[in-house]
């Protein structure tokens, strides 16, 4: 049985400071104890901070995730993990430099399973390639950790269902790390839709940026000595190493894995994780799914970079609402959007714009008795829920249902058929061929997740 979170957390820092000696560990010895370390001056005492383990410290973690948890007075990064020793060492240095003389220690791991065995860690931030999200998240919740996970959270519909079930079974907090709901433009659009400003919602359009992936270079290369390539592959098929399959050497540029279907599903789930989430949030359909799916998409053949391109997918819900998710041609503006169309007007939002068919849709204050949505920074929402044990705004079920839209679209494009979907059973009706796409091949021993 897991110990109570607050009881465990009060002793976690003391226990963590005894964990020196782990391979890759580095320690900073405090020279003095300031008042803030005791919880005074409006700060959170170290014994009450949520201890965070960072799994994956590459491009996204370096730019956004690690800095946030280092800056927050409510969290303490006590462990980092990566299969690339160069990135791992730089993350250790960053934590040390940020924490200064009051930090204690940060432990470095090459294997995420060893990090999860550290019972001083309360929660993990997973910032790895997509094919690792579900195995790591399920392993984390089974170890009693709360999880903040980069989007898109799944690589298949079946594993998304398993993840949501495991989170509930182990009574853990899981937050999809997507910032779209924090953007004023998306938030405003969803509120006016929920409050009937455009009348009855009848249609949604979602446009994602183009990928323009090219073909990639598949020729086998020597594996860099600092990369544990077999662990990087993990649940994916064993194939020869090439730099454009993984990530740039000694750099934080965009990894080629984001264009390869073994590890990612391209723009329909990558940007779709933001834009489709907003569509479902505004329509109040974030815990169900469509009943019919059809569409087209192109898949590069015999290329390293092979995610779906130039797609146009149509979805129909049981209520009669229709939704289209499409890729926007290069050069067209805006290059991304979610548009809600009602019988009395429309409203459209992107990360930095919101427009409507009539300016009064956006400018007129909402009624006092109207529906009010909650807007909160995604990581602050996670931290708050770790403390309160309340469900976050985008939990595992919401993330699973959002990502299922993109995955259903890929299946429709691959089969070339109009598919009938049961959103309760999460299976295609009378279509064993399409149902074969609900799972993905997974290498042992990772198939246990």
């Amino acid at each position: 049985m897991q110990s109570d979170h607050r009881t465990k957390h009060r002793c976690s820092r003391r226990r963590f400071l005894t964990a020196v000696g782990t391979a890759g560990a580095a320690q900073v010895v405090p020279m003095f104890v300031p008042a803030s370390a005791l919880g005074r001056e409006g700060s959170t005492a170290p014994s009450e901070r949520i201890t965070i383990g960072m799994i994956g410290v590459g491009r996204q973690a370096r730019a956004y995730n690690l800095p946030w948890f280092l800056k927050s007075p409510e969290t303490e990064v006590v462990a980092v993990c990566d299969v690339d020793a160069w990135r791992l060492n730089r993350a250790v240095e960053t934590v040390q430099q940020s924490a200064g003389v009051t930090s204690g220690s940060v432990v470095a791991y090459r294997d995420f399973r060893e990090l999860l065995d550290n019972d001083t860690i309360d929660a993990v931030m997973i910032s790895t390639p997509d094919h690792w999200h579900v195995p790591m998240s399920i392993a984390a919740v089974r170890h009693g950790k709360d999880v903040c996970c980069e989007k898109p959270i799944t690589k298949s519909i079946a594993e998304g269902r398993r993840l949501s079930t495991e989170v509930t079974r182990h009574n853990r907090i899981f937050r999809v790390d997507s910032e779209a709901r924090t953007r004023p433009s998306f938030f405003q659009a969803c509120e006016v839709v929920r409050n009937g400003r455009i009348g009855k919602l009848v249609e949604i359009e979602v446009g994602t940026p183009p990928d323009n992936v090219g073909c990639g270079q598949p020729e086998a290369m020597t594996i860099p000595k600092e990369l544990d390539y077999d662990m990087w592959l993990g649940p994916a098929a064993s194939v020869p190493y090439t730099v454009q399959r993984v990530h740039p050497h000694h750099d934080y540029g965009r990894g080629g894995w984001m264009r390869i279907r073994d590890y990612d599903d391209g723009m329909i789930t990558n940007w779709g994780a933001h834009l489709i989430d907003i569509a479902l949030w505004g329509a109040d359909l974030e815990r169900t799914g469509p009943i019919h799916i059809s569409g087209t998409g192109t898949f590069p053949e015999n290329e390293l970079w092979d995610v779906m391109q130039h797609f146009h997918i149509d979805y129909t819900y049981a209520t009669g609402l229709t939704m289209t998710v499409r890729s926007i041609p290069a050069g067209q503006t805006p290059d991304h959007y979610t548009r809600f169309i009602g019988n009395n007007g429309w409203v459209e939002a992107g990360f930095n714009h919101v427009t409507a068919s009539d300016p009064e849709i956006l400018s007129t204050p909402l009624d006092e008795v109207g529906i009010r949505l909650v807007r909160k920074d995604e990581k602050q929402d996670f931290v708050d829920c770790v403390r309160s044990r309340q469900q976050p705004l985008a939990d595992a079920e919401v993330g699973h249902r959002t990502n299922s839209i993109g995955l259903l679209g890929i299946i429709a494009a691959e089969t070339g058929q109009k598919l009938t979907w049961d959103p309760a059973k999460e299976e295609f009706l009378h279509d064993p061929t399409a149902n074969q796409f609900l799972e993905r091949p997974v290498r042992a021993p990772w198939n246990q997740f």
Side-chain angles (χ1 to χ4, degrees), residues 109-125:
Y109 297 96
R110 299 291 298 277
D111 190 325
F112 77 96
R113 293 168 294 186
E114 295 177 5
L115 182 148
L116 295 179
D117 284 336
N118 185 339
D119 65 2
T120 70
I121 296 173
D122 298 319
V124 295
M125 173 73 238

Side-chain angles (χ1 to χ4, degrees), residues 268 293-299 308-315 325-327 408-417:
I268 196 168
I293 310 100
S294 62
T296 59
T298 60
F299 298 88
M308 185 171 70
Q309 303 288 298
H310 314 301
F311 50 86
H312 185 114
I313 314 294
D314 295 314
Y315 306 81
V325 179
R326 70 182 184 95
S327 56
L408 287 169
I410 292 171
I411 296 171
E414 285 190 303
T415 62
Q417 303 294 320

Side-chain angles (χ1 to χ4, degrees), residues 83 112 129-133 135-136 223 227-242 245-246 257 260 262-263 440-444 446:
V83 295
F112 77 96
D130 302 351
H131 69 295
W132 263 119
H133 289 173
M136 288 179 173
I223 301 171
L227 177 67
D228 184 342
Y229 179 56
D230 190 65
M231 180 59 87
W232 185 90
L233 288 170
S238 180
V239 290
Y241 168 84
T242 180
R245 181 181 298 279
V246 186
W257 62 266
I260 301 174
D262 277 352
Y263 324 114
R440 64 171 172 134
V442 177
R443 283 200 302 166
W446 312 111

Side-chain angles (χ1 to χ4, degrees), residues 52-58 60-62 65-66 69 77 79-83 88 91 107 109-117 121 123-129 132-133 135-141 143 145-150 231:
I52 304 292
M54 302 290 301
I55 303 179
V57 287
Q60 191 72 7
R62 183 88 180 170
N65 301 339
L66 180 57
F69 286 109
V77 176
V80 292
C81 177
D82 204 282
V83 295
L88 183 63
V107 184
Y109 297 96
R110 299 291 298 277
D111 190 325
F112 77 96
R113 293 168 294 186
E114 295 177 5
L115 182 148
L116 295 179
D117 284 336
I121 296 173
V124 295
M125 173 73 238
I126 298 176
S127 311
T128 64
W132 263 119
H133 289 173
M136 288 179 173
S137 294
I138 290 179
V141 300
H143 278 74
K145 316 296 186 190
D146 295 321
V147 178
C148 190
C149 184
E150 268 295 336
M231 180 59 87

Side-chain angles (χ1 to χ4, degrees), residues 123-187:
V124 295
M125 173 73 238
I126 298 176
S127 311
T128 64
D130 302 351
H131 69 295
W132 263 119
H133 289 173
V134 168
M136 288 179 173
S137 294
I138 290 179
V141 300
R142 288 176 180 176
H143 278 74
K145 316 296 186 190
D146 295 321
V147 178
C148 190
C149 184
E150 268 295 336
K151 59 78 191 167
I153 64 171
T154 66
K155 276 288 293 149
S156 76
I157 292 173
E159 69 173 5
R161 170 50 51 215
R162 289 195 292 273
L163 171 61
S164 186
T165 299
E166 290 279 336
V167 169
T168 300
R169 177 180 297 148
H170 294 280
N171 195 27
R172 293 293 93 197
I173 299 300
F174 182 100
R175 209 322 178 159
V176 182
D177 194 62
S178 171
E179 69 272 22
R181 297 190 185 200
T182 72
R183 304 294 291 195
S185 51
F186 287 131
F187 178 81

